[in-house]
Amino acid sequence: MLIRAATSADAAEMSRVLRAIIAASGRERPGDIAFVLAQYIDNFTGIRCSVAVSDSNRLLGFQSLVRATPGNRYHVPDGWGIIGTHIGPDAHRQGVGKALFAASLAAATAAGIEAIDAYIGADNATGLAYYAAMGFTTYHKPPGIVQKVYRLG
Ligand SMILES: CC(C)(COP(=O)(O)OP(=O)(O)OC[C@H]1O[C@@H](n2cnc3c(N)ncnc32)[C@H](O)[C@@H]1OP(=O)(O)O)[C@@H](O)C(=O)NCCC(=O)NCCS
C-alpha cells in the first residue's frame, strides 16, 4: 500500500469510494466528482488530503485534513484541523485508516496545528472506535454527534 497526496486525477476514484460507503452505510451524502474536487482537492483551507493506493493501483480510501476557519459549520475553534476519513468497505480493518492518519498527523505537525477535530455520527460505532484507537478523545456532544479531539504537542 502506498500513501500519497491526492491530486485531481484521483477524483473519480475518490468519488467511487464515497459512493461505495454511501451504499454500504445507507447514510446519504454528496459523493460526486464535482463535490470531491471542491471539498477535498481544491479546498483552499486544505492542509493535506492523502490517498491510500493498493499494490495493484486501486484507490482504497482517503483522509482529508483542513484548517478550521471562522464560522465553520462544525463550530471548531479557529486554527484547529478538521479531519475526515473515507475507506472503501472492501478495504476496512486492514490498517488503511491507521496509515492515512500517520500522514495526516505529520502534515498537522508541519502546519503547526494545535488540535484536530473529528466530527462523527453518534450511531457510527466504527468511526468512533477508529478515532479512539488513533488517540482522539470526546470533547463535545451536540445532538446525534460526537466530536473528538486529538491534541498535538
Ligand atoms: C472508520 C474507518 C475510517 C476505519 O478505517 P480502517 O482502515 O478500517 O481502520 P484501520 O484498519 O486502520 O483500524 C485502526 C484501528 O481502528 C479500530 N477500528 C477500526 N474499525 C473498527 C471496527 N469496525 N470495530 C472496532 N474497532 C475498529 C481498531 O482499533 C483498529 O485497530 P486493529 O484493527 O489493530 O484492532 C472506516 O471504517 C471507514 O471509512 N468507514 C466509513 C466512513 C466513516 O465512518 N468515517 C469515519 C467517521 S466520519
Side-chain angles (χ1 to χ4, degrees), residues 21 27 85-87 91-99 119-120 124 126-127 129-131 133-134:
I21 293 171
R27 282 191 286 267
T85 314
H86 313 276
I87 314 295
H92 283 180
R93 212 68 197 265
Q94 295 169 27
V96 178
K98 186 177 178 183
Y119 187 93
I120 310 151
N124 184 353
T126 304
Y130 164 70
Y131 283 114
M134 296 304 104

Side-chain angles (χ1 to χ4, degrees), residues 23-145:
S25 69
R27 282 191 286 267
E28 197 48 58
R29 56 191 57 198
D32 56 89
I33 293 174
F35 172 80
V36 167
L37 285 168
Q39 188 77 11
Y40 301 116
I41 310 283
D42 300 330
N43 188 338
F44 74 97
T45 65
I47 296 168
R48 164 96 183 190
C49 183
S50 303
V51 292
V53 181
S54 73
D55 293 344
S56 58
N57 208 27
R58 183 172 168 83
L59 197 139
L60 303 172
F62 62 97
Q63 185 166 66
S64 77
L65 179 68
V66 301
R67 196 181 294 269
T69 51
N72 69 80
R73 66 187 169 116
Y74 304 114
H75 305 291
V76 172
D78 282 5
W80 284 26
I82 301 175
I83 199 165
T85 314
H86 313 276
I87 314 295
D90 56 352
H92 283 180
R93 212 68 197 265
Q94 295 169 27
V96 178
K98 186 177 178 183
L100 284 166
F101 186 60
S104 297
L105 196 51
T109 302
I113 293 290
E114 66 180 90
I116 304 172
D117 171 274
Y119 187 93
I120 310 151
D123 61 350
N124 184 353
T126 304
L128 293 168
Y130 164 70
Y131 283 114
M134 296 304 104
F136 286 69
T137 55
T138 300
Y139 77 99
H140 188 42
K141 284 184 162 185
I145 299 294

